[in-house]
Amino acid sequence: MSTDEEAVPVLRIADAATAIAWYRRLGFEPRWEHRFEPGLPAFVEVARGPVKLFLSEHTGDARPDTLVYLRVRDVDAVAAEFGAPVATAPWARETELRDPDGNRLRVGTPHP
């Protein structure tokens, strides 16, 4: 398999600046932002290491209330940053977060 192939989830957002600030708390950094013209909706890529998400202000690009699963090394640190509880599932320790637009991120650290 080629290493240049990947799937990148698209999440619907209302305001790029607000979303970027929230995703920074989760360890993501903005890579680029595109608008066809000033004042038109933004399409943004954020990344946390090799993990990428597209954040889109464009109506119809994605449905609200989308669920993305994110595997991390330390779910407890993520949960502490957001004041969220951590639960133990058979496959991982997990927490669930909602971004400012209602998208759900289930964040987990697999059991050793």
Side-chain angles (χ1 to χ4, degrees):
M1 184 171 110
S2 174
T3 58
D4 61 352
E5 295 180 6
E6 62 187 340
V8 181
V10 178
L11 300 176
R12 177 77 166 92
I13 58 166
D15 179 75
T18 300
I20 289 168
W22 190 88
Y23 280 91
R24 274 194 162 126
R25 291 179 61 202
L26 193 52
F28 285 85
E29 289 297 325
R31 293 271 175 95
W32 51 262
E33 179 176 324
H34 176 266
R35 294 177 190 265
F36 285 103
E37 293 181 17
L40 290 182
F43 193 89
V44 180
E45 179 183 281
V46 295
R48 176 187 165 123
V51 177
K52 298 175 188 171
L53 297 172
F54 290 150
L55 308 176
S56 178
E57 292 179 349
H58 293 266
T59 303
D61 268 1
R63 300 176 63 118
D65 196 38
T66 296
L67 172 64
V68 173
Y69 195 97
L70 176 63
R71 286 189 178 142
V72 298
R73 286 186 188 93
D74 186 358
V75 69
D76 294 295
V78 171
E81 170 65 26
F82 289 90
V86 175
T88 300
W91 51 89
R93 288 179 39 74
E94 299 179 326
T95 191
E96 187 162 309
L97 307 173
R98 282 195 179 265
D99 75 8
D101 298 289
N103 295 300
R104 296 176 301 141
L105 286 92
R106 194 165 298 144
V107 183
T109 299
H111 298 298

